[in-house]
C-alpha cells in the first residue's frame, strides 16, 4: 500500500534533514535530529503544497496515480511496427525532447526533455510490441531524470499526456487518410465503371 503523498514527501525530507543535522552539527544527536526533522517536515509540506497547486492545474482527476512522478500509458495503434516507430520519433520532436537512443531490434526508443524551472529533465521510454502487420502496442514511460525526485510539479503527467495525445491523433489521421483513399479506389474501380455501363445500356451519352 502506497503512503499518501502528503505524508511521504514531508517524511522523506524530515528524515533526510534530520540526518544531515546529526552529521553536520555538534551537540546531542537526538536534539539535532529532532530539530532537523521538524524543519524538513515543514519544508516538505511547503514543497508538496506548491506541487499540489501546480499539478491540480494539469491533472483533472483525483486519482493518486496521476500525481506520481512516474507515469505509464499503454495504447494500440492501427499501424505497422515501422510506422509506429516513426510516430514515436515524431512525438518526441513534438514535445521538444531529444532522442537519446534507438534500438530497432529490441523495439525501444529512449528520450529526454530539457531541464526547466520545475524539473532537471524527464526521461521518456517507448516500448513497442508488434501485434500483427497492422497493429502495434506501445508502452510509454516517463519519469524524472534524477531518480531521487519525489515531486515534479506535474511535469511527468503533462508530458505523457502530450505524447499519448499526439500518437492517438496521428494514428487517427493516418487511418482517416487510408479510409478516404480506399473509398476513392472503390469508386474508381467499381462505382464509376458501373455507372458508365448503366448509362450505355440506357442509351444516354
Amino acid at each position: 500500500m502506497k503512503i499518501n503523498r502528503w505524508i511521504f514527501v514531508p517524511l522523506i525530507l524530515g528524515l533526510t534533514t534530520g540526518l544531515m543535522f546529526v552529521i553536520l552539527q555538534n551537540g546531542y544527536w537526538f536534539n539535532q535530529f529532532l530539530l532537523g526533522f521538524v524543519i524538513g517536515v515543514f519544508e516538505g509540506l511547503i514543497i508538496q503544497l506548491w506541487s499540489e497547486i501546480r499539478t491540480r492545474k494539469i491533472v483533472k482527476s483525483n486519482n493518486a496515480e496521476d500525481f506520481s512522478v512516474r507515469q505509464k500509458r499503454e495504447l494500440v495503434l492501427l499501424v505497422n511496427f515501422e510506422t509506429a516507430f516513426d510516430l514515436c520519433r515524431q512525438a518526441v520532436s513534438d514535445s521538444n525532447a531529444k532522442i537519446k537512443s534507438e534500438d530497432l531490434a529490441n523495439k525501444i526508443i529512449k528520450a529526454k526533455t530539457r531541464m526547466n524551472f520545475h524539473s532537471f529533465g524527464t526521461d521518456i521510454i517507448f516500448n513497442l510490441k508488434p501485434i500483427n502487420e497492422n497493429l502495434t502496442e506501445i508502452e510509454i514511460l516517463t519519469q524524472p531524470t534524477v531518480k531521487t525526485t519525489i515531486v515534479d510539479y506535474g511535469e511527468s503527467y503533462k508530458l505523457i499526456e502530450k505524447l499519448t495525445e499526439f500518437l492517438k491523433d496521428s494514428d487517427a489521421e493516418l487511418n482517416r487518410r487510408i479510409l478516404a483513399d480506399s473509398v476513392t479506389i472503390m469508386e474508381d474501380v467499381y462505382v464509376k465503371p458501373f455507372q458508365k455501363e448503366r448509362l450505355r445500356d440506357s442509351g444516354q451519352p
Side-chain angles (χ1 to χ4, degrees), residues 5 25 39-41 43 49 70 86-87 109 113 135 138 147 149 151 159 166 200:
R5 59 186 179 275
Q25 300 292 331
I39 294 174
V41 167
E43 292 176 344
L49 177 61
R70 293 171 177 80
D86 187 55
L87 287 178
I109 297 175
T113 63
L135 287 176
I138 300 178
K147 300 301 183 285
T149 302
V151 291
L159 176 60
F166 179 89
R200 283 199 298 269

Side-chain angles (χ1 to χ4, degrees), residues 51 54-55 58-59 66 151-159:
S51 177
R54 189 175 187 278
T55 306
I58 303 169
V59 180
D66 292 338
V151 291
D152 72 344
Y153 308 97
E155 289 292 312
S156 188
Y157 177 89
K158 181 173 68 174
L159 176 60

Side-chain angles (χ1 to χ4, degrees), residues 64-108:
E65 294 296 328
D66 292 338
F67 291 82
S68 173
V69 297
R70 293 171 177 80
Q71 295 289 324
K72 175 182 176 180
R73 299 289 186 276
E74 294 179 345
L75 63 155
V76 175
L77 302 185
L78 299 174
V79 295
N80 59 36
F81 169 73
E82 289 75 15
T83 302
F85 202 87
D86 187 55
L87 287 178
C88 290
R89 290 197 195 100
Q90 294 177 34
V92 171
S93 178
D94 182 72
S95 300
N96 295 320
K98 183 178 180 180
I99 293 177
K100 294 168 57 180
S101 65
E102 296 180 6
D103 190 337
L104 195 61
N106 291 314
K107 306 172 181 62
I108 296 176

Side-chain angles (χ1 to χ4, degrees), residues 1 9 36 77 93 99 120 126 151 156 165 180-181 183 188 199 205:
M1 181 178 179
V9 175
L77 302 185
S93 178
I99 293 177
F120 286 102
F126 295 94
V151 291
S156 188
E165 183 178 358
D181 291 342
V183 171
D188 292 340
L199 289 173

Side-chain angles (χ1 to χ4, degrees):
M1 181 178 179
K2 291 187 176 181
I3 303 176
N4 185 284
R5 59 186 179 275
W6 285 97
I7 299 174
F8 179 74
V9 175
L11 180 62
I12 292 297
L13 287 177
L15 292 173
T16 303
T17 308
L19 291 173
M20 290 297 297
F21 268 54
V22 170
I23 294 171
L24 299 176
Q25 300 292 331
N26 295 321
Y28 295 106
W29 72 268
F30 180 76
N31 291 340
Q32 296 301 326
F33 176 79
L34 186 60
L35 176 62
F37 181 80
V38 172
I39 294 174
V41 167
F42 181 71
E43 292 176 344
L45 287 171
I46 294 176
I47 291 173
Q48 179 57 41
L49 177 61
W50 174 240
S51 177
E52 192 81 7
I53 291 172
R54 189 175 187 278
T55 306
R56 284 284 179 185
K57 296 179 181 179
I58 303 169
V59 180
K60 304 303 181 183
S61 71
N62 291 318
N63 186 357
E65 294 296 328
D66 292 338
F67 291 82
S68 173
V69 297
R70 293 171 177 80
Q71 295 289 324
K72 175 182 176 180
R73 299 289 186 276
E74 294 179 345
L75 63 155
V76 175
L77 302 185
L78 299 174
V79 295
N80 59 36
F81 169 73
E82 289 75 15
T83 302
F85 202 87
D86 187 55
L87 287 178
C88 290
R89 290 197 195 100
Q90 294 177 34
V92 171
S93 178
D94 182 72
S95 300
N96 295 320
K98 183 178 180 180
I99 293 177
K100 294 168 57 180
S101 65
E102 296 180 6
D103 190 337
L104 195 61
N106 291 314
K107 306 172 181 62
I108 296 176
I109 297 175
K110 294 182 179 181
K112 179 183 178 297
T113 63
R114 295 178 180 178
M115 181 176 65
N116 58 35
F117 180 75
H118 297 286
S119 170
F120 286 102
T122 304
D123 288 336
I124 308 166
I125 299 176
F126 295 94
N127 292 309
L128 292 85
K129 179 183 177 182
I131 298 175
N132 58 35
E133 292 181 356
N134 298 306
L135 287 176
T136 306
E137 181 180 307
I138 300 178
E139 177 189 68
I140 312 172
L141 304 171
T142 58
Q143 62 182 16
T145 299
V146 179
K147 300 301 183 285
T148 54
T149 302
I150 55 177
V151 291
D152 72 344
Y153 308 97
E155 289 292 312
S156 188
Y157 177 89
K158 181 173 68 174
L159 176 60
I160 203 168
E161 286 292 300
K162 185 173 184 177
L163 293 168
T164 303
E165 183 178 358
F166 179 89
L167 290 175
K168 287 182 177 179
D169 289 346
S170 299
D171 180 55
E173 177 62 20
L174 282 174
N175 283 282
R176 186 193 65 78
R177 291 177 183 175
I178 292 173
L179 181 60
D181 291 342
S182 298
V183 171
T184 301
I185 292 172
M186 289 288 289
E187 289 181 348
D188 292 340
V189 173
Y190 296 105
V191 178
K192 290 180 181 179
F194 177 73
Q195 290 175 340
K196 291 180 180 180
E197 186 68 26
R198 289 191 61 184
L199 289 173
R200 283 199 298 269
D201 292 342
S202 63
Q204 297 182 21

